[in-house]
């Protein structure tokens, strides 16, 4: 009989987990407390208690070829970076295509999960749900926790003396929906993550003044990277990953700074990160530098103190008549339905083996999917986690002993601190390609461009020098997808298709370059031909 798996949540992570269960002939039941799929990506004006809440202007900061699932490319007419509604449309296409909806029970919240009575022999879990006030109890062979980590707002009110006297409006970025109502207001935004930058750029069009107060600064990157390609398709290549992982630290730091400052000098904009050697998640915002240039957004240090109506910054400057304070200070990782004996959140992170399995459980039947912040899209990351976890549930693969897993979590955490620092916003940050490869190796789907070089050189070179897109993990092994090769070789076409909406003649430069390439090729051909025709010298010639 097929093993029964409970999937909690029907966002990105939940949907792909259902599909991975089906691929391994497991029997999934997904519980989603809200009315629909999409999780964070389903925008609603009304904020729901247990679901992430976004503002109406959210555009993805990862691009479509990098953030799709590995066997389901986005339609080629979809924009390169997507409005939340467009990404939700993609999730609906995915769910329809793989027929996932029939496994989801909507309006059903999981309120408690605990080990079943005979857990030590079966590894089973008891899952308690609530629907319309009615509770139900189920037994499952395995559980996949896909509830996201941007639900519970982190609002460090206690860090700001005087806040209790402030007479204006205070709220967290989770409660921000649009710039409506900000006309003529003076706004102070605490934090310098992606939410802070987006909200500053949007509200400053209406507000009187907008301040961003940052303690650590940040690198700001444009979504538009070299030659106009999306940043992640250039930054996240295997070639660049090898370089990043092999260069001496100081040289890497110097190169990173140089690259980051190519667009604008971060020092001159008051943005430069305090610790420049860290690879902390950057802010992706194409408008922020120009808004700073217009004086519409003003970057300030941390607020030292608030009064009834003013903000006093650490540099001694004071801004009077502040109307609104927005805490864009991130989120708290929480699993209210799990007992501390199962997992414990420490410093906003859960020590998990390869970010998926709690190491101390006797049975490998509980997995966390999507509890991660990769330096790239979360979608292919969550998908590979789910592919690995379902193979473990099925018994096709196994976990190492507890001590090995614990050591791994410690080493992994030390590396995280070295690369990304100790900031709360980086508590579950991880590398992208290296981590994907690690997961893919577990499920037998890690591509090897060097082995491919002889068999399929074009594909091998695209894999190594081109974007590390999710299709690479469907070329071989279990779950191989016949369309993967073509999807990889046509990914650049799909990117360009979305923007080249007016047919244009090739520029003179491009024509000249094309001509030179053909000319060079002909010269090479002629040289080879001539060298072959040259009579070889014989002893009689020499006489
Ligand atoms: P969620 O999308 O949060 O879904 C969790 C689901 O679980 C929800 O449907 C919720 O209702 C349900 N649920 C929760 N608790 C329970 C329960 N007890 N019982 C039943 N159901 C429950 N990542 C990227 O890769 N690229 C981006 O461009 C990007 N942009 C982002 C923009 C914003 C503003 C934010 C805040 C995050 C962004 N992220 C981005 C990160 C984001 O976390 C992921 O894109 C993704 O949404 C995570 O999906 P998930 O399924 O893990 O969690
Ligand atoms: P975040 O990345 O966690 O950033 C929180 C910010 O608040 C950081 O700058 C942090 O500074 C600061 N902060 C925290 N505690 C503070 C304190 N006590 N005093 C002063 N500053 C404090 O949160 P987020 O911006 O909401 O982003 C959450 C996730 O959603 C990220 O992965 C992000 O990429 C994603 N997101 C994406 C988009 C998009 O695609 N367009 C938009 C928004 C968010 P330190 O770093 O110094 O701790």
């Amino acid at each position: 009989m097929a093993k029964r798996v409970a999937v909690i949540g029907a966002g990105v992570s939940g949907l792909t987990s259902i599909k991975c269960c089906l691929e391994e002939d497991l029997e999934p039941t997904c519980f989603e407390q809200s009315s629909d799929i999409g999780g964070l990506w389903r925008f609603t004006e009304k904020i729901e208690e247990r679901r992430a809440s976004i503002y109406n202007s959210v555009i993805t900061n990862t691009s479509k070829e990098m953030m799709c699932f590995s066997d389901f490319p986005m339609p080629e007419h979809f924009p390169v970076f997507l409005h939340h509604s467009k990404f939700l449309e993609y999730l609906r296409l995915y769910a329809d295509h793989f027929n996932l909806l029939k496994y989801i029970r909507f309006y059903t919240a999981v309120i408690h999960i605990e080990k079943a009575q005979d857990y030590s022999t079966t590894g089973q879990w008891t899952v308690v749900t609530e629907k319309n006030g009615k509770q139900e109890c189920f037994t499952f062979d395995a559980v996949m926790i896909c509830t996201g980590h941007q639900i519970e707002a982190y609002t460090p009110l206690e860090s700001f003396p005087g806040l209790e006297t402030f007479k204006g409006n205070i709220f967290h970025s989770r409660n921000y929906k649009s710039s409506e109502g900000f006309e003529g207001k003076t706004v102070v935004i605490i934090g310098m993550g992606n939410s802070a930058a987006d909200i500053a750029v949007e509200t400053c069009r209406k507000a009187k003044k907008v301040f961003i107060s940052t303690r650590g600064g940040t690198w700001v990157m444009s979504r538009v990277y070299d030659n106009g390609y999306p940043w992640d398709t250039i930054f996240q290549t295997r070639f660049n990953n090898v370089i990043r992982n092999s260069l001496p630290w100081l040289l890497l730091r110097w190169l990173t700074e140089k690259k980051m400052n190519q667009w604008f000098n971060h020092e001159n904009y008051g943005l430069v990160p305090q610790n420049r050697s860290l690879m902390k998640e950057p802010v992706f915002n194409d408008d922020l530098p120009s808004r700073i240039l217009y004086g519409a957004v003003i970057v300030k240090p941390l607020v030292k103190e608030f009064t009834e109506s003013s903000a006093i910054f650490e540099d001694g400057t004071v801004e009077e008549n502040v109307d609104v304070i927005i805490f864009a200070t991130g989120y708290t990782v929480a699993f209210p339905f799990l007992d501390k004996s199962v997992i414990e959140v420490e410093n906003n992170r859960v020590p998990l083996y390869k970010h998926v399995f709690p190491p101390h459980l006797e049975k490998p039947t509980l997995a966390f999917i999507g509890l991660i912040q990769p330096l790239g899209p979360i979608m292919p990351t969550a998908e590979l986690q789910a592919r690995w976890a379902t193979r473990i549930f099925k018994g096709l693969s196994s976990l190492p002993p507890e001590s090995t897993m614990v050591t791994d979590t410690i080493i992994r955490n030390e590396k995280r601190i070295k690369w990304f620092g100790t900031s709360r916003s980086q508590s579950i940050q991880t590398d992208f390609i290296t981590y994907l490869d690690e997961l893919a190796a577990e499920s037998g789907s890690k591509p090897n461009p060097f082995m491919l070089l002889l068999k399929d050189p074009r594909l091998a070179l695209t894999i190594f020098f081109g974007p590390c897109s999710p299709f690479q993990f469907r070329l071989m092994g279990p779950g191989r997808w016949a369309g993967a090769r073509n999807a990889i070789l046509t990914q650049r076409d799909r990117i360009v298709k979305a923007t080249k909406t007016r047919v244009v003649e090739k520029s003179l430069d491009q024509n000249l370059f094309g001509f030179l390439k053909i000319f060079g090729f002909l010269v090479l051909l002629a040289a080879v031909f001539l060298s072959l025709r040259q009579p070889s010298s014989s002893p009689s010639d020499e006489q």
Side-chain angles (χ1 to χ4, degrees), residues 230-448:
W231 76 270
D232 48 0
T233 62
I234 306 288
F235 189 84
Q236 292 298 8
T237 67
R238 288 180 180 279
F239 173 72
N240 283 337
N241 198 44
V242 170
I243 303 267
R244 275 195 294 274
N245 288 328
S246 45
L247 282 183
W249 192 249
L250 273 178
L251 183 59
L252 180 67
R253 177 188 153 150
W254 180 77
L255 284 173
T256 308
E257 265 196 66
K258 212 168 137 45
K259 186 71 191 166
M260 294 294 176
N261 281 323
Q262 211 173 340
W263 185 24
F264 67 93
N265 184 327
H266 282 64
E267 255 174 48
N268 294 347
Y269 285 63
L271 286 168
V272 75
Q274 225 164 33
N275 190 343
R276 302 176 196 200
S277 58
L278 296 176
M279 297 288 282
K280 259 176 89 171
E281 187 190 54
V283 161
F284 295 93
N285 202 299
D286 298 273
D287 301 322
L288 185 63
S290 62
R291 296 294 180 273
I292 295 172
L293 276 184
Y294 307 166
V297 173
I298 301 153
V299 179
K300 299 293 274 182
L302 200 59
V303 176
K304 193 168 65 178
E305 191 185 341
F306 284 104
T307 68
E308 277 191 8
S309 61
S310 61
I312 305 164
F313 296 96
E314 273 184 342
D315 59 2
T317 56
V318 180
E319 189 55 36
E320 307 279 1
N321 302 321
V322 175
D323 300 294
V324 186
I325 301 168
I326 304 178
F327 277 84
T329 38
Y331 294 88
T332 296
V333 172
F335 301 97
F337 46 84
L338 276 175
D339 190 71
K340 275 190 178 159
S341 62
V342 179
I343 54 129
E344 194 153 6
V345 181
E346 297 163 13
N347 300 323
N348 213 34
R349 57 179 282 279
V350 184
L352 297 171
Y353 178 57
K354 299 199 179 195
H355 299 287
V356 177
F357 288 100
H360 64 280
L361 293 177
E362 305 97 286
K363 301 280 179 186
T365 52
L366 183 84
F368 288 77
I369 307 299
L371 185 51
I372 189 120
Q373 193 169 293
L375 259 187
I378 206 168
M379 300 72 194
T381 316
E383 186 188 23
L384 273 170
Q385 290 181 328
R387 284 173 73 184
W388 176 43
T390 47
R391 287 179 63 76
I392 298 269
F393 296 160
K394 204 171 174 195
L396 296 170
S397 207
S398 58
L399 296 182
E402 182 183 339
S403 59
T404 313
M405 292 198 274
V406 170
T407 310
D408 177 88
T409 63
I410 294 169
I411 295 174
R412 204 172 283 275
N413 193 40
E414 285 167 0
K415 274 193 197 153
R416 177 189 67 83
I417 291 172
K418 183 180 167 218
W419 277 84
F420 308 111
T422 50
S423 155
R424 206 171 184 282
S425 63
Q426 307 298 302
S427 60
I428 50 173
Q429 190 71 44
T430 179
D431 190 3
F432 183 60
I433 299 180
T434 311
Y435 180 57
L436 290 184
D437 272 351
E438 225 182 292
L439 292 170
E442 294 286 352
S443 55
S445 56
K446 183 180 162 196
N448 186 337

Side-chain angles (χ1 to χ4, degrees), residues 73-107:
M74 290 205 196
E76 59 179 14
H77 67 276
F78 269 36
V80 178
F81 291 97
L82 302 101
H83 185 247
H84 58 75
S85 56
K86 208 69 189 166
F87 186 65
L88 180 63
E89 194 180 325
Y90 169 74
L91 291 179
R92 292 199 193 288
L93 291 173
Y94 180 74
D96 278 350
H97 183 80
F98 293 107
N99 211 359
L100 307 179
L101 292 182
K102 65 178 180 187
Y103 301 96
I104 308 173
R105 297 188 189 186
F106 292 107
Y107 298 108

Side-chain angles (χ1 to χ4, degrees), residues 9 11-13 32-33 39-41 60-62 110 148 150 377-379:
V12 164
S13 305
E32 166 56 50
Q33 54 88 28
L40 178 143
W41 294 100
T60 64
N61 57 18
T62 48
V110 167
Q150 277 133 353
I378 206 168
M379 300 72 194

Side-chain angles (χ1 to χ4, degrees), residues 41 55 58-61 150 154 156 159-160 173 190-196 198 213 215-216 223 280-281 302 328-331 373 423-425:
W41 294 100
Y55 35 93
V58 167
I59 305 278
T60 64
N61 57 18
Q150 277 133 353
Y154 171 64
S159 308
F160 296 89
S173 58
I190 310 284
M192 182 70 258
N194 279 286
S195 297
D198 276 357
S213 162
R215 59 179 173 194
R223 289 175 172 85
K280 259 176 89 171
E281 187 190 54
L302 200 59
T329 38
Y331 294 88
Q373 193 169 293
S423 155
R424 206 171 184 282
S425 63

